[in-house]
Amino acid sequence: MILLILVLLALVGMPLFAVIAIGALSGYWQAGLDPALAAMEFARIGEMPVLVALPLFTFAGVLLAHSEAPRRLVELTRSALGWLPGGLAVIALVLCALMTAFTGASGITVVALGSLLLPALMHDGYPERFSLGMVTAGSSLGVLFAPSLPLILYAVVAQQVAPRSGIGVDDLFLAGLLPGLLMLALMAGYAVWVRRGAAPSQARRRPLGAVLRDNLWELPLPFVVLGGIYSGWLLVVEAAVVTAAWVLISLLLIRREIPLSRLPGIVTEAMVLVAAILVVLGMSMASTNVMIDAGVPQRLFEWIEPKIDSRLVFLLMVNVLLLVAGMLLDIFAALVILAPLIIPVALAFGVDPVHLGVIFLANLQIGYCTPPVGINLFLASHRFERDILTVWRATLPFLGLLLIALLVITGWPALSLALPGLRG
């Protein structure tokens, strides 16, 4: 009965954190516990050092999106690979992945890079439908690349649900690299195939040396931050500090592209996004503890086990569930609601929690471009002045490629676990 009421409240538009909070409080009440314990669970998020990385990475990404950095990077792709048929599309996908990884929100990538990339791709000879679909679907690619906010959030939830599993943010950063590159390679290969036999772009390009000098401050950042994380020289929080400081100094003091008067508004924009994530996370932690104490994951496993005879079948069912969830929920909401339920059951089936995390995010990444709630569809429709159905049809070939990659990721755990295994 309570579950039905919560679903109805969500459908009528009650904020998600409030729905989760009501569920948590009702769980405490039914268990005869003081509801004040829910507030104590919420306060525990302040004890997680890794969450310091969330506002820092988000601030750096939003600051980059408000600067001239996207324009300079697009110009760099023209100069570096404009001679290669399909080169602009390949580098455009890489740029989208990097922007989403650093901002933590694919919607920012659609808005910040999409308006630059769409006309550039069409000017380069790509069909409008292809260009529209590539920009919309490609903006979701960075979810599996460090320092993606969903990666960090999944690690935090997994540590709370299964503290003995030993899962760490660094492990997830490494685990997402090869699956993310697989998705990127499939989409890039399709882009090159579409332009097969076409003559190189005749558009005038600036000398590469001059464009490299223009991007002098942005180009080292991914190598310094990601190289530091993957090599073990930087912890995630340290990498977040380096990223925020690098971007702030380069854009505010050296390039002077962001006036000091705009900084409070940019900080507010970034922190509103972070606050929304933390409020939902805090309420979900309270709800998760109630479910664990009530034995909900164990009962779920006991119900599922007789019906499923293999780990692979279980993972395929998880894929279906997450794809449906991605159609209805934001990626952060889906993580904090479903991960506490699925992780304990997956562990009982012998699924590695790191591999499960990559599967989780690969599924929910596809949800960015699936109706009825796919945020990329709405933003692309508004930004490019096309109806949502047109945008969705344009993304279908790319969604097909992402689904193929998802099946490979699901059935081949070594793709996700190879790099964390080398790290030891």
Side-chain angles (χ1 to χ4, degrees):
M1 183 63 182
I2 293 176
L3 180 60
L4 179 60
I5 293 173
L6 293 177
V7 171
L8 291 175
L9 290 174
L11 291 176
V12 299
M14 176 175 281
L16 182 63
F17 80 89
V19 175
I20 299 174
I22 292 172
L25 292 173
S26 64
Y28 279 103
W29 176 71
Q30 287 185 332
L33 299 173
D34 187 348
L37 292 172
M40 293 175 62
E41 291 295 333
F42 188 96
R44 279 203 306 124
I45 64 176
E47 301 172 4
M48 302 177 186
V50 72
L51 287 182
V52 176
L54 284 178
L56 292 171
F57 278 132
T58 306
F59 169 67
V62 173
L63 200 60
L64 281 170
H66 280 273
S67 72
E68 291 295 311
R71 180 193 58 77
R72 286 193 297 271
L73 291 173
V74 170
E75 200 169 66
L76 176 61
T77 65
R78 281 185 175 278
S79 297
L81 287 178
W83 55 271
L84 176 69
L88 177 61
V90 172
I91 300 299
L93 288 169
V94 174
L95 292 179
C96 286
L98 287 174
M99 178 65 77
T100 298
F102 274 92
T103 61
S106 68
I108 294 177
T109 304
V110 173
V111 173
L113 277 180
S115 56
L116 296 171
L117 291 175
L118 184 65
L121 288 166
M122 294 173 61
H123 187 266
D124 202 46
Y126 281 97
E128 179 183 355
R129 181 169 176 170
F130 170 90
S131 304
L132 183 62
M134 196 198 80
V135 170
T136 305
S139 295
S140 69
L141 282 175
V143 169
L144 287 173
F145 294 127
S148 162
L149 298 187
L151 275 174
I152 298 174
L153 187 60
Y154 175 86
V156 170
V157 174
Q159 289 167 0
Q160 299 303 307
V161 176
R164 297 180 182 178
S165 64
I167 188 172
V169 179
D170 294 349
D171 295 324
L172 276 171
F173 281 178
L174 287 170
L177 185 58
L178 294 181
L181 289 175
L182 172 64
M183 290 182 158
L184 181 60
L186 287 177
M187 293 180 67
Y190 176 60
V192 173
W193 181 80
V194 167
R195 287 286 286 168
R196 66 194 184 282
S201 173
Q202 300 300 315
R204 184 179 177 182
R205 300 188 297 273
R206 291 179 60 199
L208 182 58
V211 180
L212 284 172
R213 285 193 297 273
D214 287 347
N215 287 271
L216 183 63
W217 287 101
E218 286 81 16
L219 287 180
L221 183 59
F223 298 100
V224 171
V225 175
L226 302 184
I229 292 173
Y230 292 141
S231 66
W233 283 99
L234 293 175
L235 298 175
V236 175
V237 175
E238 295 169 342
V241 173
V242 170
T243 302
W246 186 302
V247 172
L248 183 64
I249 292 171
S250 64
L251 294 180
L252 199 69
L253 302 180
I254 298 175
R255 291 193 183 276
R256 299 182 183 275
E257 290 182 357
I258 305 291
L260 191 60
S261 59
R262 289 186 59 196
L263 195 59
I266 293 173
V267 171
T268 300
E269 180 182 340
M271 293 310 106
V272 166
L273 174 61
V274 173
I277 297 171
L278 292 182
V279 168
V280 174
L281 176 61
M283 288 295 98
S284 72
M285 287 176 61
S287 177
T288 297
N289 284 340
V290 171
M291 289 191 295
I292 292 175
D293 291 341
V296 173
Q298 180 63 28
R299 293 204 301 270
L300 185 61
F301 172 71
E302 292 171 353
W303 179 75
I304 291 176
E305 186 183 23
K307 300 175 174 59
I308 298 177
D309 57 1
S310 75
R311 180 169 52 190
L312 181 59
V313 173
F314 168 74
L315 289 177
L316 291 175
M317 287 184 60
V318 169
N319 280 338
V320 173
L321 172 63
L322 292 176
L323 287 172
V324 173
M327 296 178 184
L328 303 173
L329 296 171
D330 174 76
I331 186 170
F332 299 108
L335 272 174
V336 298
I337 291 174
L338 295 177
L341 285 173
I342 294 176
I343 290 174
V345 179
L347 292 175
F349 274 99
V351 179
D352 189 286
V354 174
H355 180 216
L356 179 67
V358 175
I359 293 173
F360 235 97
L361 297 175
N363 275 284
L364 297 178
Q365 168 184 321
I366 296 172
Y368 276 127
C369 301
T370 51
V373 185
I375 186 65
N376 283 18
L377 298 179
F378 286 95
L379 289 174
S381 173
H382 174 74
R383 187 70 172 178
F384 307 132
E385 298 181 350
R386 307 291 193 279
D387 64 87
I388 289 181
L389 186 59
T390 298
V391 177
W392 180 64
R393 286 174 176 169
T395 63
L396 288 178
F398 299 97
L399 293 181
L401 294 172
L402 293 178
L403 287 172
I404 292 171
L406 175 62
L407 291 175
V408 174
I409 292 167
T410 302
W412 188 16
L415 186 67
S416 304
L417 301 177
L419 292 182
L422 290 176
R423 182 170 173 266

